[in-house]
Amino acid sequence: MTKMRAVDAAVLILEKEGATQAFGLPGAAINPFYSAMRAHGGIRHVLARHVEAASHMAEGYTRAEPGNIGICIGTSGPAGTDMITGLYSASADSIPILCITGQAPVAKLDKEDFQAVDIASIAAPVTKMAKTVLEAGQVPGVFQQAFHLMRSGRPGPVLIDLPIDVQLTEIEFDIDLYEPLPIARPEATRGQLEAVLDLIESSERPVLVAGGGIISADASDDFVALAEELGLPVIPTLMGWGVIPDDHALHAGMVGLQTQHRYGNENLLASDAVIGIGNRWANRHTGALDVYRAGRRFVHIDIEPTQIGRVFAPDLGIVSDAGAAIRGLLELVRERKAAGSLRDRSAWVAETQERKATLQRKTHFDNVPIKPQRVYQEMNAAFGRDVRYVSTIGLSQIAGAQLLHVYRPRHWINCGQAGPLGWTLPAALGVVTADPTKTVVALSGDYDFQFLIEELAVGAQFKLPYIHVLVNNSYLGLIRQAQRAFDMDYHVSLAFDNVNSPETEGYGVDHVKVAEGLGCKAIRVREAGDLAGAFEQAKKLMEEHQVPVVVEVILERVTNISMGAAGIDAINEFEDLAEGPEDAPTATIPLRPAAVTA
């Protein structure tokens, strides 16, 4: 055994567990941990400007690649409370991140010492484990347990709180004797999977719902193979977007009240059986349950037992790792196919694709100021199949999900359930940190962008280049649209005459100057015809300077985005719909006007 400080043992464990990328801010109570990272030399670190941003960077890093676990680090007191939003966001979307905080000395706890908050109790509801380590000898075991919990069952975040004296205390530790704890994942039985196939075979119009759990299980390729063998239409959830390419012949559209396709909702409503894998029946997906469930049978497969029946009781619920269930189903399907006992679903698939070719929204608007729909059309054309999009919440995210295209898993990095404003920018930096070779494009409204705008300086300092599309209507657009139900437009405008930047023409904050002041590049676009050129210029600036590049698009102040308030059968379409292929030129299937007028 070797004698070393507890923090030195902790850093060795990080390396052994494969978690070597941290985001954070040093401070008095966590400085010993930073000294251990410095001495070790193998833990990469990005210095954030705000501790909440560090937690979102860790989220982006984890979400970007299978097996990643981002680490966020802060000192005692407010550093930990600042990271609660990131822990909540990670917990809600089943994202494993490790939060490490400093703490006052053990003898000072419960004595109102400076910045000595009970962070473990505060973080407990939004973590799989939150623990203040009171004895140095417990540090290796607590870190071992933390990694095990983060990866087991439904993944999620943990918080380890380290009093400064615990960090500095020497312990006996041998890293060669340390082993990560084995991960046991539940697997569906053959009998359960046979029952799933029997339910599918007894249905006329079944669909597969692909949730984010498939991406977490790194099982997207197997899922697509399963869908192809069954010949069934696929409806991805917002968190599962990218499991199957948008232009795949079985992609039937997304469903919901907000982030949905017209054809997606109609295809779900035409189905009679829904097989959900790794999803949670989120309200934004289902809408009113009486509409969503009417006339349909449901299968729900999820790794977390408490998810089965949480929203509604399925006809068949199975607790299983998504990847194991998919591979088991694939084996059984191939057996049945070889025996000639699978039904031909080509007519049903053709029906779903006919809706995809006829029920489209218009994107080609030439209005000045620019309509947001045109922005997403130009993004489709400019960034192609390999782009990674990052977004959180707002009309920008909702319209983006309706109109952008995603072709690969982990190429739509989205905060699905929590939706905190400010998430997009730091999360994008985390995604770039995970793989700087991929083109990353963030999408924000002006309010989301302003929440943690200072993190642009992090991208400049650490050379983390990406493109940030900022659609600026100088409004809290989603809240304004929701306020229509109350017949008000109250405290949701961000517009003002900027005495230092009259060129903003009443839109308020000069995002171009702010971005440039933080060491980045920025372009402002006022006309739709200039969008393509701006995106190409942004790519060149990003490549040349290796910093974030902001493309600010000045939108019309008020645009109501397609949305429903109750059931998925009652979506309000506020804008003109596509009538010909020229109205939606980047649609994955050219619109067939003859079918529209029939």
Side-chain angles (χ1 to χ4, degrees), residues 4 57 116 175 207 269 284 296 513 524 597:
M4 63 182 71
M57 291 176 195
I175 190 62
V207 296
L269 290 169
R284 288 206 297 169
R296 281 169 282 283
K513 285 182 180 176
R524 181 177 288 128
T597 58

Side-chain angles (χ1 to χ4, degrees), residues 173-467:
F173 182 72
D174 188 341
I175 190 62
D176 292 331
L177 300 178
Y178 177 92
E179 291 293 338
L181 294 173
I183 306 296
R185 294 186 172 88
E187 296 189 8
T189 66
R190 181 182 178 93
Q192 289 174 316
L193 298 179
E194 292 277 12
V196 175
L197 292 184
D198 289 343
L199 186 146
I200 291 172
E201 286 299 287
S202 65
S203 305
E204 297 298 322
R205 298 175 304 282
V207 296
L208 301 173
V209 169
I214 297 173
I215 294 176
S216 294
D218 199 22
S220 298
D221 290 345
D222 288 333
F223 175 82
V224 173
L226 174 64
E228 290 173 343
E229 292 284 8
L230 285 167
L232 292 186
V234 175
I235 291 172
T237 67
L238 185 65
M239 293 301 296
W241 196 11
V243 164
I244 186 169
D246 272 15
D247 58 355
H248 193 286
L250 294 175
H251 188 289
M254 286 197 289
V255 167
L257 297 176
Q258 296 180 343
T259 54
Q260 37 70 27
H261 301 109
R262 294 179 65 211
Y263 52 87
N265 280 359
E266 292 299 323
N267 282 329
L268 189 283
L269 290 169
S271 72
D272 65 351
V274 180
I275 294 81
I277 304 177
N279 65 310
R280 60 174 177 245
W281 311 117
N283 179 61
R284 288 206 297 169
H285 168 80
T286 65
L289 290 176
D290 58 337
V291 174
Y292 188 84
R293 298 179 64 192
R296 281 169 282 283
R297 292 181 294 167
F298 287 86
V299 174
H300 191 196
I301 302 172
D302 196 86
I303 196 170
E304 174 55 46
T306 62
Q307 288 296 106
I308 307 297
R310 187 171 192 169
V311 178
F312 61 84
D315 295 270
L316 176 59
I318 298 173
V319 178
S320 176
D321 172 78
I326 290 165
R327 289 186 292 273
L329 283 169
L330 187 56
E331 182 181 347
L332 293 179
V333 167
R334 286 170 173 164
E335 288 179 12
R336 292 195 181 190
K337 198 169 188 179
S341 60
L342 275 186
R343 295 177 62 173
D344 179 9
R345 304 290 183 173
S346 55
W348 165 229
V349 170
E351 182 183 328
T352 65
Q353 295 305 294
E354 179 65 16
R355 293 189 183 93
K356 192 174 184 178
T358 56
L359 299 175
Q360 296 179 12
R361 295 183 172 112
K362 183 176 179 179
T363 59
H364 194 78
F365 294 93
D366 291 322
N367 304 51
V368 178
I370 299 169
K371 279 190 174 290
Q373 292 86 347
R374 180 64 182 272
V375 181
Y376 308 118
Q377 174 185 307
E378 298 298 335
M379 289 171 69
N380 285 332
F383 300 122
R385 300 182 67 88
D386 294 328
V387 64
R388 273 188 157 160
Y389 289 119
V390 183
S391 192
T392 180
I393 190 58
L395 287 185
S396 54
Q397 177 245 26
I398 293 167
Q402 293 176 11
L403 301 171
L404 291 174
H405 301 313
V406 175
Y407 299 95
R408 291 178 173 81
R410 300 182 189 272
H411 279 222
W412 172 256
I413 309 291
N414 182 81
C415 184
Q417 187 182 135
L421 288 166
W423 187 90
T424 304
L425 199 166
L429 294 174
V431 173
V432 176
T433 302
D435 187 351
T437 68
K438 286 191 170 64
T439 299
V440 174
V441 175
L443 172 62
S444 286
D446 41 300
Y447 211 40
D448 171 45
F449 187 68
Q450 290 173 20
F451 257 56
L452 289 168
I453 195 171
E454 76 285 342
E455 303 306 313
L456 283 173
V458 177
Q461 179 179 354
F462 289 89
K463 300 295 183 184
L464 300 172
Y466 77 97
I467 295 172

Side-chain angles (χ1 to χ4, degrees), residues 15 18 22 42 94 327 333 536 549 559:
E15 181 185 36
S94 308
R327 289 186 292 273
V333 167
E536 288 306 310
V549 179
T559 308

